[in-house]
Coordinates of all heavy atoms in Angstrom, one line a residue:
M513 N -17.0 -6.9 2.0 CA -15.6 -7.1 2.3 C -15.5 -8.2 3.5 O -16.3 -8.2 4.4 CB -15.0 -5.8 2.8 CG -14.9 -4.8 1.8 SD -13.6 -5.2 0.6 CE -14.3 -4.7 -0.9
E514 N -14.5 -9.0 3.3 CA -14.3 -10.0 4.3 C -12.9 -9.9 5.0 O -12.0 -9.2 4.5 CB -14.4 -11.4 3.7 CG -15.8 -11.7 3.2 CD -15.9 -13.2 2.8 OE1 -15.5 -14.0 3.7 OE2 -16.3 -13.5 1.7
I515 N -12.8 -10.5 6.1 CA -11.5 -10.6 6.8 C -10.9 -11.9 6.5 O -11.5 -13.0 6.5 CB -11.7 -10.5 8.3 CG1 -12.3 -9.1 8.7 CG2 -10.4 -10.7 9.1 CD1 -12.7 -9.0 10.2
A516 N -9.6 -11.9 6.2 CA -8.8 -13.1 5.9 C -7.7 -13.2 6.9 O -7.2 -12.2 7.3 CB -8.3 -13.1 4.5
V517 N -7.4 -14.4 7.4 CA -6.3 -14.6 8.4 C -5.4 -15.7 7.8 O -5.8 -16.7 7.3 CB -6.9 -15.1 9.7 CG1 -5.8 -15.3 10.7 CG2 -7.9 -14.1 10.2
I518 N -4.1 -15.4 7.9 CA -3.1 -16.3 7.4 C -2.1 -16.5 8.5 O -1.6 -15.6 9.1 CB -2.3 -15.8 6.2 CG1 -3.3 -15.5 5.0 CG2 -1.3 -16.8 5.7 CD1 -2.7 -14.8 3.8
G519 N -1.7 -17.8 8.8 CA -0.7 -18.1 9.8 C -0.7 -19.6 10.1 O -1.2 -20.4 9.4
N520 N 0.0 -19.9 11.2 CA 0.1 -21.3 11.5 C -1.3 -21.8 12.1 O -2.2 -21.0 12.3 CB 1.2 -21.6 12.5 CG 1.0 -20.9 13.8 OD1 -0.1 -20.7 14.3 ND2 2.2 -20.4 14.4
K521 N -1.4 -23.1 12.3 CA -2.7 -23.7 12.7 C -3.2 -23.1 14.0 O -4.4 -22.8 14.1 CB -2.6 -25.2 12.8 CG -2.5 -25.9 11.5 CD -2.3 -27.4 11.7 CE -2.0 -28.1 10.4 NZ -1.7 -29.5 10.5
E522 N -2.3 -22.9 14.9 CA -2.7 -22.4 16.3 C -3.2 -20.9 16.1 O -4.1 -20.5 16.9 CB -1.5 -22.4 17.2 CG -1.1 -23.8 17.6 CD -0.2 -24.5 16.6 OE1 0.4 -23.8 15.7 OE2 -0.1 -25.7 16.6
F523 N -2.6 -20.2 15.2 CA -3.0 -18.8 15.1 C -4.4 -18.6 14.4 O -5.2 -17.9 14.9 CB -2.0 -18.1 14.2 CG -2.2 -16.6 14.0 CD1 -2.1 -15.7 15.0 CD2 -2.6 -16.1 12.7 CE1 -2.3 -14.3 14.8 CE2 -2.8 -14.8 12.5 CZ -2.7 -13.9 13.6
V524 N -4.7 -19.4 13.4 CA -5.9 -19.3 12.7 C -7.1 -19.9 13.4 O -8.2 -19.5 13.1 CB -5.8 -19.8 11.2 CG1 -4.7 -19.0 10.4 CG2 -5.6 -21.3 11.1
I525 N -6.9 -20.9 14.2 CA -8.0 -21.6 14.8 C -8.9 -20.6 15.7 O -10.1 -20.8 15.7 CB -7.6 -22.8 15.6 CG1 -8.8 -23.7 15.9 CG2 -6.9 -22.4 16.9 CD1 -8.4 -25.1 16.3
G526 N -8.3 -19.7 16.4 CA -9.1 -18.7 17.2 C -10.0 -17.9 16.3 O -11.2 -17.6 16.6
F527 N -9.5 -17.5 15.1 CA -10.3 -16.7 14.2 C -11.4 -17.6 13.6 O -12.5 -17.1 13.3 CB -9.4 -16.1 13.1 CG -8.5 -15.1 13.6 CD1 -7.2 -15.4 14.0 CD2 -9.0 -13.8 13.7 CE1 -6.4 -14.4 14.5 CE2 -8.1 -12.8 14.2 CZ -6.8 -13.1 14.6
Q528 N -11.1 -18.9 13.3 CA -12.2 -19.8 12.9 C -13.3 -19.9 13.9 O -14.5 -19.8 13.5 CB -11.6 -21.2 12.6 CG -10.7 -21.2 11.4 CD -10.0 -22.5 11.2 OE1 -9.8 -23.3 12.2 NE2 -9.5 -22.8 10.0
L529 N -12.9 -20.0 15.1 CA -13.9 -20.1 16.2 C -14.7 -18.9 16.4 O -15.9 -18.9 16.8 CB -13.3 -20.5 17.5 CG -12.6 -21.9 17.6 CD1 -11.8 -22.1 18.9 CD2 -13.7 -23.0 17.5
A530 N -14.1 -17.7 16.0 CA -14.8 -16.4 16.1 C -15.7 -16.2 14.8 O -16.4 -15.2 14.8 CB -13.8 -15.3 16.2
G531 N -15.7 -17.1 13.9 CA -16.5 -17.0 12.7 C -15.9 -16.4 11.4 O -16.6 -16.2 10.4
V532 N -14.6 -16.2 11.5 CA -13.9 -15.7 10.3 C -13.9 -16.9 9.3 O -13.4 -18.0 9.6 CB -12.5 -15.2 10.6 CG1 -11.8 -14.8 9.3 CG2 -12.6 -14.0 11.5
R533 N -14.4 -16.7 8.1 CA -14.5 -17.8 7.1 C -13.2 -18.0 6.3 O -12.9 -19.1 5.9 CB -15.6 -17.6 6.2 CG -17.0 -17.8 6.9 CD -18.1 -17.6 6.0 NE -18.1 -16.2 5.6 CZ -18.9 -15.7 4.6 NH1 -19.7 -16.5 4.0 NH2 -18.9 -14.4 4.3
K534 N -12.5 -17.0 6.0 CA -11.3 -17.0 5.1 C -10.1 -17.1 6.0 O -9.4 -16.2 6.3 CB -11.2 -15.9 4.2 CG -12.3 -15.9 3.2 CD -12.0 -14.9 2.1 CE -13.1 -15.0 1.0 NZ -12.6 -14.7 -0.3
T535 N -9.8 -18.3 6.5 CA -8.6 -18.6 7.2 C -7.7 -19.6 6.5 O -8.2 -20.5 5.9 CB -8.9 -19.2 8.6 OG1 -9.7 -20.4 8.5 CG2 -9.7 -18.2 9.5
Y536 N -6.4 -19.3 6.5 CA -5.5 -20.1 5.7 C -4.3 -20.5 6.6 O -3.6 -19.7 7.1 CB -5.0 -19.4 4.5 CG -6.1 -18.8 3.6 CD1 -6.6 -17.5 3.8 CD2 -6.7 -19.6 2.6 CE1 -7.6 -17.0 3.0 CE2 -7.7 -19.1 1.8 CZ -8.2 -17.8 2.0 OH -9.2 -17.4 1.3
S537 N -4.1 -21.8 6.7 CA -3.0 -22.3 7.5 C -1.7 -22.4 6.5 O -1.8 -23.0 5.5 CB -3.3 -23.7 8.0 OG -2.2 -24.2 8.8
A538 N -0.6 -21.8 7.0 CA 0.6 -21.8 6.2 C 1.7 -22.1 7.1 O 2.1 -21.2 7.9 CB 0.8 -20.4 5.5
E539 N 2.3 -23.3 7.1 CA 3.3 -23.7 8.0 C 4.7 -23.5 7.5 O 5.7 -23.4 8.3 CB 3.1 -25.2 8.3 CG 1.8 -25.5 8.9 CD 1.5 -24.9 10.3 OE1 2.5 -24.7 11.0 OE2 0.4 -24.7 10.7
T540 N 4.9 -23.3 6.2 CA 6.3 -23.1 5.6 C 6.4 -21.7 5.0 O 5.3 -21.1 4.6 CB 6.6 -24.1 4.6 OG1 5.7 -23.9 3.4 CG2 6.4 -25.6 5.1
P541 N 7.6 -21.1 4.9 CA 7.7 -19.8 4.3 C 7.2 -19.8 2.8 O 6.6 -18.8 2.4 CB 9.2 -19.6 4.3 CG 9.7 -20.4 5.5 CD 8.8 -21.6 5.5
E542 N 7.4 -20.9 2.1 CA 6.9 -20.9 0.7 C 5.4 -20.9 0.7 O 4.8 -20.2 -0.1 CB 7.4 -22.2 0.0 CG 8.9 -22.3 -0.1 CD 9.7 -22.7 1.1 OE1 9.0 -23.3 2.1 OE2 10.9 -22.5 1.2
K543 N 4.7 -21.7 1.5 CA 3.3 -21.7 1.6 C 2.8 -20.3 2.0 O 1.7 -19.8 1.5 CB 2.8 -22.8 2.5 CG 1.3 -22.9 2.6 CD 0.7 -23.5 1.4 CE -0.8 -23.7 1.6 NZ -1.5 -24.1 0.4
L544 N 3.4 -19.7 3.0 CA 3.1 -18.4 3.5 C 3.1 -17.4 2.4 O 2.2 -16.6 2.2 CB 4.0 -18.0 4.6 CG 3.7 -16.7 5.3 CD1 2.4 -16.8 6.1 CD2 4.8 -16.4 6.3
T545 N 4.2 -17.3 1.6 CA 4.4 -16.4 0.5 C 3.3 -16.6 -0.5 O 2.6 -15.7 -1.0 CB 5.8 -16.6 -0.1 OG1 6.7 -16.3 0.9 CG2 5.9 -15.6 -1.3
E546 N 3.0 -17.9 -0.9 CA 2.0 -18.2 -1.9 C 0.6 -17.8 -1.5 O -0.1 -17.2 -2.2 CB 2.1 -19.7 -2.2 CG 1.0 -20.2 -3.1 CD 0.9 -21.7 -3.1 OE1 2.0 -22.4 -3.1 OE2 -0.2 -22.3 -3.1
T547 N 0.3 -18.0 -0.2 CA -1.0 -17.7 0.3 C -1.2 -16.2 0.4 O -2.3 -15.7 0.1 CB -1.2 -18.4 1.7 OG1 -1.0 -19.8 1.5 CG2 -2.7 -18.2 2.2
I548 N -0.2 -15.5 0.9 CA -0.4 -14.1 1.0 C -0.6 -13.4 -0.3 O -1.5 -12.6 -0.5 CB 0.9 -13.4 1.7 CG1 0.9 -13.8 3.2 CG2 0.9 -11.9 1.6 CD1 2.2 -13.4 3.9
T549 N 0.2 -13.9 -1.3 CA 0.0 -13.3 -2.7 C -1.4 -13.6 -3.2 O -2.0 -12.7 -3.8 CB 1.1 -14.0 -3.6 OG1 2.4 -13.7 -3.1 CG2 1.0 -13.4 -5.0
R550 N -1.9 -14.8 -3.0 CA -3.2 -15.1 -3.5 C -4.3 -14.3 -2.8 O -5.2 -13.8 -3.4 CB -3.5 -16.6 -3.2 CG -4.8 -17.1 -3.8 CD -4.9 -18.6 -3.9 NE -4.1 -19.3 -2.9 CZ -4.6 -19.9 -1.8 NH1 -5.8 -19.7 -1.4 NH2 -3.8 -20.5 -1.0
V551 N -4.2 -14.1 -1.5 CA -5.2 -13.3 -0.7 C -5.1 -11.8 -1.1 O -6.1 -11.2 -1.2 CB -5.0 -13.6 0.8 CG1 -5.9 -12.6 1.6 CG2 -5.3 -15.0 1.1
L552 N -3.9 -11.3 -1.3 CA -3.8 -9.9 -1.7 C -4.5 -9.6 -3.0 O -4.9 -8.5 -3.3 CB -2.3 -9.5 -1.9 CG -1.5 -9.3 -0.6 CD1 0.0 -9.1 -0.9 CD2 -2.1 -8.2 0.3
N553 N -4.6 -10.6 -3.9 CA -5.3 -10.5 -5.2 C -6.8 -10.8 -5.1 O -7.5 -10.7 -6.1 CB -4.6 -11.3 -6.2 CG -3.2 -10.8 -6.5 OD1 -3.0 -9.6 -6.7 ND2 -2.3 -11.7 -6.6
D554 N -7.3 -11.2 -3.9 CA -8.7 -11.5 -3.8 C -9.5 -10.3 -3.6 O -9.4 -9.6 -2.5 CB -8.9 -12.5 -2.6 CG -10.3 -13.0 -2.4 OD1 -11.2 -12.4 -3.0 OD2 -10.5 -14.0 -1.6
P555 N -10.4 -9.9 -4.5 CA -11.2 -8.7 -4.3 C -12.2 -8.7 -3.2 O -12.7 -7.6 -2.8 CB -11.9 -8.5 -5.7 CG -12.0 -9.9 -6.2 CD -10.8 -10.6 -5.7
E556 N -12.5 -9.8 -2.6 CA -13.4 -9.9 -1.5 C -12.8 -9.6 -0.2 O -13.5 -9.3 0.8 CB -14.0 -11.3 -1.5 CG -14.9 -11.7 -2.7 CD -16.1 -10.8 -2.8 OE1 -16.8 -10.6 -1.7 OE2 -16.4 -10.4 -3.9
V557 N -11.5 -9.6 -0.1 CA -10.8 -9.4 1.2 C -10.5 -7.9 1.4 O -9.9 -7.3 0.6 CB -9.5 -10.2 1.2 CG1 -8.7 -9.9 2.5 CG2 -9.7 -11.7 1.1
G558 N -11.0 -7.4 2.5 CA -10.8 -6.0 2.9 C -9.8 -5.8 4.0 O -9.1 -4.8 4.1
I559 N -9.6 -6.9 4.8 CA -8.7 -6.8 5.9 C -7.9 -8.2 5.9 O -8.6 -9.2 5.9 CB -9.3 -6.6 7.3 CG1 -10.0 -5.2 7.3 CG2 -8.3 -6.7 8.4 CD1 -10.8 -5.0 8.6
L560 N -6.6 -8.1 6.0 CA -5.8 -9.3 6.0 C -5.0 -9.3 7.4 O -4.3 -8.3 7.7 CB -4.8 -9.4 4.9 CG -3.7 -10.5 4.9 CD1 -4.4 -11.9 5.0 CD2 -2.8 -10.4 3.7
V561 N -5.2 -10.3 8.2 CA -4.6 -10.4 9.5 C -3.4 -11.4 9.4 O -3.6 -12.6 8.9 CB -5.6 -10.9 10.6 CG1 -4.9 -11.0 11.9 CG2 -6.8 -10.0 10.6
L562 N -2.2 -11.0 9.8 CA -1.0 -11.8 9.8 C -0.3 -11.7 11.2 O -0.5 -10.7 11.9 CB 0.0 -11.3 8.8 CG -0.4 -11.3 7.3 CD1 0.6 -10.5 6.5 CD2 -0.6 -12.7 6.8
Q563 N 0.5 -12.7 11.5 CA 1.4 -12.6 12.7 C 2.6 -11.8 12.3 O 3.1 -11.9 11.2 CB 1.8 -14.0 13.1 CG 0.8 -14.8 13.9 CD 1.4 -16.1 14.3 OE1 1.7 -17.0 13.5 NE2 1.5 -16.3 15.6
S564 N 3.0 -10.9 13.2 CA 4.1 -10.0 12.9 C 5.4 -10.9 12.7 O 6.2 -10.5 11.8 CB 4.4 -9.1 14.1 OG 3.4 -8.2 14.3
A565 N 5.6 -12.0 13.4 CA 6.7 -12.8 13.2 C 6.8 -13.4 11.8 O 7.9 -13.7 11.3 CB 6.8 -13.9 14.3
D566 N 5.7 -13.6 11.2 CA 5.7 -14.3 9.9 C 6.2 -13.3 8.8 O 6.7 -13.8 7.8 CB 4.2 -14.7 9.5 CG 3.8 -15.9 10.2 OD1 4.6 -16.6 10.7 OD2 2.6 -16.2 10.1
L567 N 6.2 -12.0 9.0 CA 6.8 -11.1 8.0 C 8.3 -11.3 7.8 O 8.8 -11.0 6.8 CB 6.5 -9.7 8.5 CG 5.0 -9.3 8.5 CD1 4.8 -7.8 9.0 CD2 4.3 -9.5 7.2
E568 N 8.9 -11.8 8.8 CA 10.4 -12.1 8.7 C 10.7 -13.2 7.7 O 11.8 -13.4 7.3 CB 11.0 -12.4 10.1 CG 10.8 -11.3 11.1 CD 11.2 -11.7 12.5 OE1 11.8 -12.8 12.6 OE2 10.9 -11.0 13.4
H569 N 9.7 -14.1 7.4 CA 9.9 -15.3 6.6 C 9.5 -15.2 5.2 O 9.5 -16.1 4.5 CB 9.2 -16.5 7.3 CG 9.6 -16.7 8.7 ND1 10.8 -17.1 9.1 CD2 8.9 -16.5 9.9 CE1 10.9 -17.2 10.4 NE2 9.7 -16.8 10.9
I570 N 9.1 -14.0 4.8 CA 8.7 -13.8 3.4 C 9.7 -12.9 2.7 O 10.4 -12.1 3.3 CB 7.2 -13.2 3.3 CG1 7.2 -11.8 4.0 CG2 6.2 -14.1 3.9 CD1 5.8 -11.1 3.9
P571 N 9.7 -13.0 1.3 CA 10.7 -12.1 0.6 C 10.5 -10.6 0.8 O 9.3 -10.2 1.0 CB 10.4 -12.5 -0.9 CG 9.6 -13.8 -0.8 CD 8.9 -13.8 0.5
R572 N 11.5 -9.9 0.7 CA 11.5 -8.4 0.9 C 10.5 -7.7 0.0 O 9.8 -6.8 0.4 CB 12.9 -7.8 0.8 CG 12.9 -6.4 1.0 CD 12.6 -6.0 2.5 NE 12.5 -4.6 2.7 CZ 11.6 -4.0 3.5 NH1 10.8 -4.7 4.2 NH2 11.6 -2.7 3.5
R573 N 10.4 -8.2 -1.2 CA 9.5 -7.6 -2.2 C 8.0 -7.7 -1.7 O 7.3 -6.7 -1.8 CB 9.6 -8.2 -3.6 CG 8.6 -7.6 -4.6 CD 8.5 -8.4 -5.8 NE 9.7 -8.1 -6.7 CZ 10.0 -8.9 -7.8 NH1 9.3 -9.9 -8.1 NH2 11.0 -8.5 -8.5
L574 N 7.7 -8.8 -1.2 CA 6.3 -9.0 -0.7 C 6.1 -8.2 0.6 O 5.0 -7.7 0.9 CB 6.1 -10.5 -0.4 CG 4.6 -10.9 0.0 CD1 3.6 -10.3 -1.0 CD2 4.5 -12.4 0.1
Q575 N 7.2 -8.1 1.4 CA 7.1 -7.2 2.6 C 6.8 -5.8 2.3 O 5.9 -5.2 2.9 CB 8.4 -7.3 3.4 CG 8.7 -8.6 4.1 CD 10.0 -8.6 4.8 OE1 10.7 -7.6 4.9 NE2 10.4 -9.8 5.3
V576 N 7.4 -5.3 1.2 CA 7.1 -3.9 0.8 C 5.7 -3.8 0.3 O 5.0 -2.8 0.5 CB 8.2 -3.5 -0.3 CG1 7.8 -2.2 -1.0 CG2 9.6 -3.4 0.3
T577 N 5.3 -4.8 -0.5 CA 3.9 -4.8 -1.0 C 2.9 -4.7 0.2 O 1.9 -3.9 0.2 CB 3.6 -6.0 -1.8 OG1 4.5 -6.0 -2.9 CG2 2.2 -6.0 -2.3
I578 N 3.2 -5.5 1.2 CA 2.3 -5.5 2.4 C 2.3 -4.2 3.1 O 1.3 -3.6 3.5 CB 2.7 -6.7 3.3 CG1 2.3 -8.0 2.7 CG2 2.1 -6.5 4.7 CD1 2.8 -9.2 3.5
E579 N 3.5 -3.6 3.3 CA 3.6 -2.3 4.0 C 2.9 -1.2 3.2 O 2.4 -0.3 3.9 CB 5.1 -1.9 4.1 CG 5.8 -2.8 5.1 CD 7.4 -2.6 5.0 OE1 7.8 -1.7 4.3 OE2 8.1 -3.4 5.7
N580 N 2.8 -1.3 1.9 CA 2.2 -0.2 1.1 C 0.7 -0.5 0.7 O 0.1 0.3 0.1 CB 3.0 0.0 -0.1 CG 4.4 0.6 0.2 OD1 4.5 1.4 1.1 ND2 5.3 0.1 -0.5
S581 N 0.2 -1.7 1.2 CA -1.1 -2.1 0.8 C -2.2 -1.2 1.5 O -2.2 -1.0 2.7 CB -1.4 -3.5 1.1 OG -2.7 -3.9 0.8
V582 N -3.1 -0.7 0.7 CA -4.3 0.0 1.2 C -5.5 -0.9 1.2 O -6.3 -0.9 2.1 CB -4.6 1.3 0.4 CG1 -5.8 2.0 0.8 CG2 -3.4 2.2 0.4
K583 N -5.7 -1.7 0.1 CA -6.7 -2.7 0.1 C -6.2 -4.0 -0.4 O -5.7 -4.0 -1.5 CB -7.8 -2.2 -0.9 CG -9.0 -3.2 -0.9 CD -10.1 -2.9 -1.9 CE -11.1 -3.9 -1.9 NZ -10.8 -5.2 -2.3
P584 N -6.1 -5.0 0.3 CA -6.7 -5.0 1.7 C -5.8 -4.3 2.7 O -4.6 -4.2 2.5 CB -6.8 -6.5 2.0 CG -5.7 -7.1 1.2 CD -5.6 -6.3 0.0
T585 N -6.4 -3.9 3.8 CA -5.7 -3.3 4.9 C -5.0 -4.5 5.6 O -5.6 -5.5 5.9 CB -6.6 -2.6 5.9 OG1 -7.2 -1.5 5.2 CG2 -5.9 -2.1 7.1
I586 N -3.7 -4.4 5.9 CA -3.0 -5.4 6.5 C -2.9 -5.1 8.0 O -2.4 -4.0 8.4 CB -1.5 -5.6 6.0 CG1 -1.6 -5.6 4.4 CG2 -0.8 -6.8 6.6 CD1 -2.3 -6.8 3.8
V587 N -3.2 -6.1 8.9 CA -3.2 -5.9 10.3 C -2.3 -7.0 10.8 O -2.5 -8.2 10.5 CB -4.6 -6.0 11.0 CG1 -4.4 -5.9 12.5 CG2 -5.5 -5.0 10.4
T588 N -1.2 -6.6 11.5 CA -0.3 -7.6 12.1 C -0.5 -7.7 13.6 O -0.8 -6.7 14.2 CB 1.2 -7.3 11.8 OG1 1.5 -6.0 12.3 CG2 1.5 -7.3 10.3
I589 N -0.5 -8.9 14.1 CA -0.7 -9.2 15.5 C 0.6 -9.7 16.1 O 1.2 -10.6 15.6 CB -1.9 -10.1 15.7 CG1 -3.2 -9.5 15.2 CG2 -2.0 -10.5 17.2 CD1 -4.4 -10.3 15.3
G590 N 0.9 -9.2 17.3 CA 2.2 -9.6 17.9 C 3.2 -8.5 17.7 O 3.0 -7.5 17.1
G591 N 4.4 -8.8 18.3 CA 5.5 -7.8 18.1 C 5.2 -6.5 18.8 O 4.6 -6.4 19.8
Q592 N 5.7 -5.4 18.2 CA 5.6 -4.1 18.8 C 4.2 -3.5 18.9 O 4.0 -2.6 19.7 CB 6.5 -3.1 18.1 CG 6.1 -3.0 16.6 CD 7.1 -2.1 15.9 OE1 6.7 -1.1 15.4 NE2 8.4 -2.4 15.8
E593 N 3.2 -4.0 18.2 CA 1.9 -3.5 18.2 C 1.0 -4.3 19.2 O -0.2 -4.0 19.3 CB 1.3 -3.5 16.9 CG 1.9 -2.5 15.9 CD 1.2 -2.3 14.6 OE1 0.3 -3.1 14.3 OE2 1.5 -1.4 13.9
A594 N 1.6 -5.2 20.0 CA 0.8 -5.9 20.9 C 0.1 -5.0 21.9 O 0.7 -4.0 22.3 CB 1.7 -6.9 21.7
G595 N -1.1 -5.2 22.2 CA -1.8 -4.4 23.2 C -2.7 -3.3 22.5 O -3.6 -2.8 23.2
L596 N -2.5 -3.1 21.2 CA -3.4 -2.1 20.5 C -4.6 -2.9 20.1 O -4.6 -4.0 19.7 CB -2.7 -1.6 19.3 CG -1.5 -0.6 19.5 CD1 -0.9 -0.2 18.2 CD2 -1.9 0.6 20.3
S597 N -5.7 -2.1 20.1 CA -7.0 -2.7 19.7 C -7.0 -2.8 18.1 O -6.2 -2.2 17.4 CB -8.2 -1.9 20.1 OG -8.1 -0.6 19.4
L598 N -7.9 -3.7 17.6 CA -8.0 -3.8 16.2 C -8.3 -2.5 15.5 O -7.8 -2.1 14.5 CB -9.1 -4.9 15.8 CG -9.3 -5.1 14.3 CD1 -8.1 -5.6 13.7 CD2 -10.4 -6.1 14.2
R599 N -9.1 -1.7 16.2 CA -9.5 -0.4 15.7 C -8.2 0.5 15.6 O -8.1 1.2 14.6 CB -10.5 0.3 16.7 CG -10.9 1.7 16.3 CD -11.9 2.2 17.3 NE -12.3 3.6 16.9 CZ -13.2 4.2 17.5 NH1 -13.9 3.7 18.5 NH2 -13.5 5.4 17.1
E600 N -7.4 0.5 16.6 CA -6.1 1.3 16.5 C -5.2 0.8 15.4 O -4.5 1.6 14.8 CB -5.4 1.3 17.9 CG -6.1 2.2 18.9 CD -6.2 3.6 18.5 OE1 -5.1 4.2 18.0 OE2 -7.2 4.3 18.6
R601 N -5.1 -0.5 15.2 CA -4.2 -1.1 14.2 C -4.7 -0.7 12.8 O -3.9 -0.3 12.0 CB -4.1 -2.6 14.3 CG -3.4 -3.0 15.6 CD -3.3 -4.5 15.7 NE -2.7 -4.8 17.0 CZ -2.9 -5.9 17.6 NH1 -3.7 -6.8 17.1 NH2 -2.4 -6.1 18.8
I602 N -6.0 -0.7 12.6 CA -6.5 -0.3 11.3 C -6.3 1.2 11.1 O -5.9 1.6 10.0 CB -8.0 -0.7 11.2 CG1 -8.2 -2.2 11.2 CG2 -8.7 -0.1 10.0 CD1 -9.6 -2.7 11.2
K603 N -6.5 2.0 12.2 CA -6.3 3.4 12.1 C -4.9 3.7 11.7 O -4.6 4.6 10.9 CB -6.7 4.1 13.4 CG -6.6 5.6 13.4 CD -7.0 6.1 14.8 CE -6.8 7.6 14.9 NZ -7.2 8.1 16.2
R604 N -3.9 3.0 12.3 CA -2.5 3.2 11.9 C -2.2 2.8 10.5 O -1.5 3.4 9.8 CB -1.6 2.3 12.8 CG -1.1 3.0 14.0 CD 0.0 2.2 14.6 NE 0.3 2.8 15.9 CZ 1.1 2.4 16.8 NH1 1.8 1.3 16.5 NH2 1.3 3.0 17.9
S605 N -2.8 1.7 10.0 CA -2.6 1.2 8.7 C -3.2 2.1 7.6 O -2.5 2.5 6.6 CB -3.2 -0.2 8.5 OG -2.6 -1.1 9.3
V606 N -4.4 2.6 7.9 CA -5.1 3.4 6.9 C -4.9 4.9 7.1 O -4.9 5.6 6.1 CB -6.7 3.1 7.0 CG1 -7.5 4.0 6.0 CG2 -6.9 1.6 6.7
G607 N -4.7 5.3 8.3 CA -4.5 6.7 8.6 C -5.8 7.4 9.0 O -5.8 8.6 9.2
V608 N -6.9 6.7 9.0 CA -8.2 7.3 9.3 C -8.9 6.3 10.2 O -8.9 5.1 10.1 CB -9.0 7.4 8.0 CG1 -10.4 7.9 8.3 CG2 -8.3 8.3 7.0
D609 N -9.7 6.9 11.2 CA -10.5 6.1 12.1 C -11.8 5.7 11.3 O -12.7 6.6 11.1 CB -10.8 6.9 13.3 CG -11.5 6.0 14.4 OD1 -11.9 4.9 14.1 OD2 -11.6 6.5 15.5
L610 N -11.9 4.5 10.9 CA -13.0 4.0 10.1 C -14.3 3.9 10.9 O -15.4 3.8 10.3 CB -12.7 2.7 9.4 CG -11.6 2.7 8.5 CD1 -11.3 1.3 8.0 CD2 -11.8 3.6 7.3
W611 N -14.2 4.0 12.2 CA -15.4 3.9 13.1 C -16.1 5.2 13.3 O -17.2 5.2 13.8 CB -15.1 3.2 14.4 CG -15.1 1.7 14.4 CD1 -16.1 0.9 14.7 CD2 -14.0 0.9 14.0 NE1 -15.8 -0.4 14.5 CE2 -14.5 -0.4 14.1 CE3 -12.7 1.1 13.5 CZ2 -13.7 -1.5 13.8 CZ3 -12.0 0.0 13.2 CH2 -12.4 -1.3 13.4
K612 N -15.5 6.3 12.9 CA -16.2 7.6 13.0 C -17.0 8.0 11.9 O -16.9 7.6 10.8 CB -15.1 8.7 13.2 CG -14.4 8.6 14.6 CD -13.6 9.8 14.8 CE -13.0 9.7 16.2 NZ -12.3 10.9 16.6

């Protein structure tokens, strides 16, 4: 399983520097929607990281798909979950602490 990151260039560059290989720059709402849909269908992706603010720019149907997704697990960064560790965000998304 791999981690994928989708967002603007500034958002994904930090993940690239950390060694995440599947990073996708999406500057427009159309590109964002297209890229999220493609990554959701990638069987290699176990965790998808998005910016919370980007969720406002995608169609409601895709928002619902993201909210209900179990695989890949969707982790949003920014917004109301700022300050939570990646472990806590995954625990909230999945409902189980995967590190135990």
Side-chain angles (χ1 to χ4, degrees):
M513 292 289 139
E514 293 192 53
I515 296 174
V517 180
I518 303 171
N520 61 35
K521 290 178 187 175
E522 293 81 18
F523 182 71
V524 300
I525 196 163
F527 291 94
Q528 290 172 337
L529 293 172
V532 176
R533 292 181 292 169
K534 292 194 175 210
T535 57
Y536 306 94
S537 179
E539 301 294 333
T540 65
E542 295 80 18
K543 180 72 173 170
L544 183 65
T545 300
E546 173 189 321
T547 306
I548 291 172
T549 303
R550 185 166 25 100
V551 172
L552 286 174
N553 294 316
D554 184 345
E556 295 295 315
V557 175
I559 298 173
L560 172 57
V561 180
L562 300 168
Q563 282 183 293
S564 296
D566 285 345
L567 295 178
E568 299 171 11
H569 304 292
I570 60 175
R572 182 68 188 141
R573 178 192 281 168
L574 186 54
Q575 289 176 9
V576 170
T577 301
I578 287 172
E579 290 169 4
N580 296 321
S581 178
V582 175
K583 185 184 177 298
T585 298
I586 311 298
V587 178
T588 58
I589 296 179
Q592 58 184 241
E593 292 190 347
L596 292 179
S597 68
L598 179 59
R599 178 179 180 174
E600 284 299 316
R601 291 180 186 154
I602 292 172
K603 184 177 174 183
R604 264 192 190 179
S605 297
V606 178
V608 176
D609 190 350
L610 299 177
W611 275 265
K612 286 189 175 184

